[in-house]
Amino acid sequence: MPRTGHSPTTTVVFTDIEGHTAMMQQLGDAAGRDVLRDHERIVREALARHGGREVKSMGDGFMAAFASAQAALACAADLQRSIAAYNATAPHPLRVRVGVNAGEPIAEESDLFGQSVISASRIAGLAAGGEILVSLVVHELVAGKGFRFADRGVQELRGIDRPVRVYALDWAGPEAVLAGVGAAAGGGSWLGPRRAFFAAGALTIALGGVVLFTVFGGSEATPSSAETPTATVSTATAIGTPGTVATAMPTAGAPGDLVYVSKGTAGATVFAMRPDGTGRRELARVPGYDSDLSWSPDGTRVLFTARVEGVRQVMILEMDGGEARQLTRGPAENNEAVWSPDGTRIAFTSTRDGNKDIYVMAADGSGQEAFTTDPGDDMHPSWSPDGTRIAFASLRGGNRDVYVSGAKGVDLVRLTDAPGNDDQPAWSPDGTQIAFTSRRDGNREIYVSAADGTLPRRLTNDPADDFHAAWSPDGQRLAFTSNRDTNENREVYLVRPDGTGLTRVTNDPGEDDAATWFPRPR
C-alpha cells in the first residue's frame, strides 16, 4: 500500500512560465524545449542552494516543498534574480510567476496533496510574470525576518471556499537592503551644496513596506548589461501609505542627459545616457512605476505615476535622500504630472470631477485646483517655457486636438483641427514651436508646428507608431518612443526638428518609454 499521512508544516512553492503555450507556438518544439531546459536548470539550481525539495515538474512549472517558509522565500527571490540574469543575454526571455503557501499537506509517497497545495497553485495563478505572491500564512511565518511585501488584498481562489489575503514579495530580499546600509557614509556633491549625491550604492524608497523607487550610483553600464535592466524587485501594483527610507544612497544624471524608463520582467528601471547613446548608466529602479517621468528644473526632484491600491497617483521623489511622497489621493485617477518652468507648480490630469481635466497644484501637493472644466476630456498638459500657458490635448471639439490656454481657461486657443487625433503636446525650449503626436495619417507620428498652430509638418513617417516627443534642452533634438523595430517593442529614438538625423538610441528586450531630458542649470 502507498504510504499516506499528514506531513509536518510545509511551505509549498509553485512556479509557472507565463505565456508558455504562446512561446512554444512561436519558437517551435526544438527551440521551445531548449528554453524549458534552461528554466528547469535555473529552478533546480535555486532549489539546491536553499534546501528545497522538488516534488514534481509539470513541463512549464515546478512544485517544491520546504521545511522553512524563510528558506522558501529566499529560494523564490533567488530564482527570480537568476531568471532576470538569464534574461539579460537570452534570445528568448522567461517570465516566471511564483506562488507560495504553507500548511500541513497530505504526503503520499513523494507527492503532496490537500488544500494548502491547491491554494499555493491558485496563488501562483494570480501572479504576473516576474512576481512572487504569498499567502497570509506565509507572510506571518516570516514576520521580522527582513522580507518586504505589498499587500494585494483579499483574493478569491478558484475551488477554495474562503478568500485569502495575498502579498507580493519584494524579491530584492533583505540582503539587498542591508548591503546598501554600510556604504551610506561616503559621498560627494553634484551641482551645488543642496544636491549632495553619493558615488555608489542605492536609495530605496518604500511606501507601506513596498519598494517604490531605488536610486543607484552613476557607474556606466557595460554593453552586455545595457541590454536588460538588472532586475532586483518585483513589480508593485498596490502601494500603501507613506513609509520610510530604507537606505540613503542617491545619485542623479548629468545636465543634458537623455533619461528614459525601461520596463523589464521585474518592473521599471530609469536609465540616463549621453545624447549620442553612449555612457548609459542606471539611475533608479522603480518597481511601483506605472507611467510618466518629469524632472524638476533644478534636477533635485522627479515626478512619476504609480498605482496606489490600483489607482494611478502622482508621486514625487526628493533626489537628495528624502522620501517618495504621494501628492494626489482619493479614488480618482491622477497622472501625467509635469513641472512648471520655475519649479513651483505641477500640472497633471485628473478624473476627480467625472471626466479628465487639467489640474494645477503647488510643488508640495497643496492647493490642487482645476485648470480646465470642460465636459470633454482634457489631458497631457505641457507648460509654456514662460509658465504663463499650458498646452493640452482635448476631446471637447469632437476628436482629440491640441489646445493652449492661459490661467483657468482664459484665452483658450485651438491649435490643431485635423480628422485624426492630435495629442501629447510638448513646447520647444524657446517657446516658438510645439511638437505633438498625430494620427492624421493613420498611425501615430511625430509632428511639429509653430506655437500658434500654423505650419504643421510631419517629422516621422513609419508604419509603426511614434509618440511621446520630448525636446532636448537646446532645442536641437526630439526624443520619442517608437515600436518600429523588428520585435515591435518600444525603443527610444532621436530626430532633429527638421525631420533629419533619425537615430535609435536604445535596444532593449524590455519596453523603453517616457523619454525626457535631464535639465541644464539655468
Side-chain angles (χ1 to χ4, degrees):
M1 292 180 62
R3 292 179 298 166
T4 302
H6 283 278
S7 70
T9 300
T10 301
T11 302
V12 181
V13 176
F14 274 85
T15 73
D16 174 65
I17 298 175
E18 184 181 64
H20 166 256
T21 302
M23 179 189 77
M24 296 300 291
Q25 290 177 343
Q26 177 186 358
L27 299 182
D29 291 343
R33 183 65 193 129
D34 288 340
V35 175
L36 288 179
R37 274 192 289 268
D38 288 338
H39 165 252
E40 292 163 2
R41 172 184 54 80
I42 293 169
V43 173
R44 287 175 173 139
E45 288 174 352
L47 290 175
R49 285 192 293 269
H50 297 276
R53 177 175 73 87
E54 179 184 333
V55 178
K56 55 188 172 184
S57 172
M58 298 163 286
D60 63 341
F62 282 82
M63 174 183 171
F66 292 79
S68 159
Q70 184 175 356
L73 294 194
C75 180
D78 186 11
L79 169 63
Q80 292 290 21
R81 288 194 294 270
S82 297
I83 289 171
Y86 168 84
N87 287 344
T89 58
H92 306 294
L94 286 165
R95 288 176 58 84
V96 174
R97 46 194 172 206
V98 180
V100 188
N101 188 34
E104 295 185 354
I106 297 171
E108 183 174 312
E109 295 295 350
S110 60
D111 210 344
L112 297 175
F113 301 91
Q115 183 167 309
S116 60
V117 175
I118 296 171
S119 294
S121 175
R122 298 290 188 261
I123 290 170
L126 295 176
E131 282 191 318
I132 302 167
L133 296 185
V134 311
S135 66
L136 174 62
V137 173
V138 174
H139 179 269
E140 295 304 310
L141 284 172
V142 299
K145 304 296 185 182
F147 294 100
R148 296 180 301 203
F149 299 91
D151 187 346
R152 291 296 182 80
V154 176
Q155 303 289 336
E156 298 283 346
L157 303 182
R158 181 168 58 87
I160 304 298
D161 292 337
R162 292 185 300 173
V164 175
R165 183 170 291 277
V166 174
Y167 298 82
L169 172 67
D170 160 19
W171 47 265
E175 309 86 16
V177 178
L178 297 176
V181 174
S189 63
W190 176 80
L191 292 181
R194 186 183 182 280
R195 283 161 271 181
F197 292 92
F198 295 93
L203 161 67
T204 300
I205 305 301
L207 295 184
V210 182
V211 174
L212 180 65
F213 203 116
T214 307
V215 184
F216 289 85
S219 58
E220 292 189 8
T222 62
S224 60
S225 66
E227 290 303 309
T228 298
T230 303
T232 58
V233 285
S234 60
T235 304
T237 57
I239 300 165
T241 56
T244 58
V245 179
T247 56
M249 298 294 293
T251 186
D257 274 354
L258 178 64
V259 183
Y260 66 96
V261 176
S262 186
K263 293 184 179 180
T265 58
T269 304
V270 180
F271 286 95
M273 66 170 68
R274 302 183 189 100
D276 62 3
T278 63
R280 190 178 98 150
R281 56 205 179 277
E282 185 177 322
L283 294 187
R285 292 176 189 158
V286 198
Y289 177 87
D290 178 82
S291 57
D292 312 318
L293 197 68
S294 178
W295 294 95
S296 62
D298 62 2
T300 65
R301 295 162 291 176
V302 65
L303 299 170
F304 61 99
T305 301
R307 286 190 180 270
V308 180
E309 298 178 350
V311 179
R312 292 184 179 92
Q313 301 291 0
V314 176
M315 312 298 299
I316 183 172
L317 175 67
E318 300 283 346
M319 294 296 291
D320 61 358
E323 297 179 5
R325 293 184 293 110
Q326 184 178 330
L327 295 184
T328 61
R329 299 183 183 276
E333 297 269 322
N334 300 282
N335 63 335
E336 300 173 347
V338 289
W339 290 96
S340 65
D342 62 3
T344 64
R345 293 169 294 166
I346 296 168
F348 62 101
T349 302
S350 179
T351 61
R352 64 189 61 185
D353 291 322
N355 63 304
K356 292 183 179 180
D357 280 307
I358 307 300
Y359 278 70
V360 174
M361 61 182 164
D364 63 359
S366 64
Q368 299 183 18
E369 58 180 0
F371 182 86
T372 66
T373 56
D374 193 84
D377 284 343
D378 300 330
M379 65 212 81
H380 300 305
S382 175
W383 293 89
S384 62
D386 62 5
T388 63
R389 294 168 292 168
I390 294 178
F392 59 94
S394 179
L395 288 169
R396 63 183 66 195
N399 65 311
R400 192 173 300 187
D401 284 301
V402 176
Y403 292 73
V404 170
S405 177
K408 295 186 178 181
V410 175
D411 299 325
L412 180 69
V413 177
R414 183 174 182 171
L415 297 188
T416 67
D417 188 10
N421 287 332
D422 300 329
D423 62 0
Q424 299 174 342
W427 290 87
S428 64
D430 63 2
T432 63
Q433 301 178 87
I434 292 179
F436 59 95
T437 302
S438 180
R439 291 183 180 271
R440 61 184 65 187
D441 294 312
N443 61 308
R444 290 190 288 181
E445 304 286 1
I446 305 300
Y447 280 70
V448 170
S449 73
D452 61 1
T454 61
L455 305 175
R457 60 190 185 279
R458 185 172 64 186
L459 298 191
T460 65
N461 185 14
D462 191 89
D465 283 338
D466 301 329
F467 49 99
H468 282 165
W471 292 87
S472 62
D474 60 6
Q476 297 302 304
R477 281 163 291 197
L478 290 108
F480 65 94
T481 302
S482 179
N483 60 2
R484 61 177 66 195
D485 75 355
T486 55
N487 294 324
E488 297 186 354
N489 66 312
R490 294 180 176 185
E491 304 288 357
V492 176
Y493 286 72
L494 297 180
V495 68
R496 296 190 183 97
D498 62 2
T500 63
L502 180 68
T503 307
R504 186 174 71 180
V505 292
T506 70
N507 186 20
D508 294 313
E511 299 281 314
D512 298 336
D513 199 359
T516 185
W517 300 81
F518 204 81
R520 294 186 184 276
R522 291 179 176 268

